[in-house]
Amino acid sequence: MMLLGDVFPNFEADSTFGRMKLHEFLGDSWGVLFSHPRDFTPVCTTELGRAAQLSLEFSKRNVKLIALSVDGLEEHHDWSKDIMAYNNAEPGSEFPFPIIADDRRELVEELGMLDPEEKDQSGMPLSARCVFVIGPDKKLKLSILYPATTGRNFDEILRVIDSLQLTAHNRVATPVDWRPGDSVMVPPGIPEQEALKLFPAGVYTKDLPSGKKYLRYTPQPNTHQQ
């Protein structure tokens, strides 16, 4: 089982972009590896369609997308045309990111992506809707697991990446429903005097009935802290 902070396996696999080795494909980029139960299915088509629509937003953040399922390359190539048609893309438009073929189920087993509740016609389990966010250091930064019946929100995945990238370089935390540009929170482990030095834009502390001063806010930093 993969835990946050673990180095992600440097697997090698066939994809619609050719044979790929994960770490070499990612280079110094962030990565989002996400699995889906099956090609030519309705929820998966809407998910990959939305991911394709947002591919430029991911690229702006230096993030590479990689999809994966237990179907083969031929199915992936044919299905990607349906996805682009679902997006009302121009005929012949290229699908913007690779889809890994794992028809032997080797990767989904290694990475714990199988959903025991969802099976194909032969009774074999299908891949669940997993999301793995991998940092430039090749370590797992976030994992989310959805059932087959619930499509993912790729705008939320973008929001999470914005938070991960901000907090990777600044000693801050992002509160509930945070969006880029919103105030961020000062972690409890930073003493008051150090916080004043770290955050020259100021620190606002919300008064609470307990008298404890743990809800501390500061404007989002614009530069990386040393």
Side-chain angles (χ1 to χ4, degrees):
M1 179 181 177
M2 292 286 298
L3 300 176
L4 296 182
D6 286 351
V7 174
F8 208 87
N10 188 23
F11 62 77
E12 190 169 352
D14 291 319
S15 80
T16 51
F17 279 26
R19 189 76 177 168
M20 61 181 289
K21 206 167 186 180
L22 180 67
H23 291 189
E24 284 71 9
F25 175 78
L26 292 178
D28 61 358
S29 299
W30 290 68
V32 174
L33 173 65
F34 62 103
S35 59
H36 57 274
R38 203 95 224 207
D39 294 0
F40 302 106
T41 54
V43 176
C44 300
T45 300
T46 63
E47 286 189 318
L48 270 75
R50 183 59 177 155
Q53 290 172 341
L54 291 172
S55 60
L56 288 179
E57 289 298 320
F58 282 100
S59 294
K60 287 177 187 176
R61 293 160 172 81
N62 192 31
V63 177
K64 292 182 177 180
L65 295 171
I66 313 166
L68 178 153
S69 85
V70 295
D71 295 288
L73 280 180
E74 185 176 349
E75 289 91 347
H76 286 342
H77 281 296
D78 290 343
W79 181 47
S80 64
K81 297 172 186 175
D82 285 2
I83 299 169
M84 297 305 282
Y86 163 78
N87 280 353
N88 295 317
E90 291 292 325
S93 297
E94 292 293 324
F95 195 72
F97 54 85
I99 308 175
I100 290 174
D102 189 30
D103 44 347
R104 294 184 179 179
R105 291 176 166 78
E106 293 173 347
L107 269 180
V108 292
E109 287 189 11
E110 178 185 355
L111 301 175
M113 289 176 156
L114 286 175
D115 184 346
E117 299 297 322
E118 291 294 321
K119 299 179 181 178
D120 62 17
Q121 293 178 346
S122 63
M124 293 292 290
L126 299 173
S127 41
R129 300 187 194 282
C130 296
V131 180
F132 292 131
V133 177
I134 306 161
D137 57 2
K138 309 302 181 290
K139 293 182 179 180
L140 180 64
K141 304 300 182 182
L142 175 138
S143 65
I144 317 175
L145 178 63
Y146 296 74
T149 51
T150 302
R152 289 161 283 200
N153 186 326
F154 281 84
D155 294 282
E156 167 63 5
I157 294 171
L158 271 178
R159 190 193 74 86
V160 166
I161 286 170
D162 286 332
S163 173
L164 289 170
Q165 293 183 340
L166 175 69
T167 57
H169 298 287
N170 298 277
R171 293 173 65 187
V172 297
T174 57
V176 63
D177 297 334
W178 174 87
R179 294 281 179 182
D182 292 350
S183 292
V184 295
M185 306 195 84
V186 180
I190 300 178
E192 185 174 351
Q193 291 304 312
E194 184 180 358
L196 294 175
K197 294 178 182 178
L198 277 174
F199 308 110
V203 176
Y204 161 71
T205 303
K206 183 172 179 60
D207 292 329
L208 298 168
S210 67
K212 297 181 184 296
K213 300 182 181 298
Y214 58 88
L215 284 182
R216 297 182 294 172
Y217 297 86
T218 189
Q220 177 182 321
N222 294 319
T223 57
H224 293 177
Q225 294 170 345
Q226 298 298 319

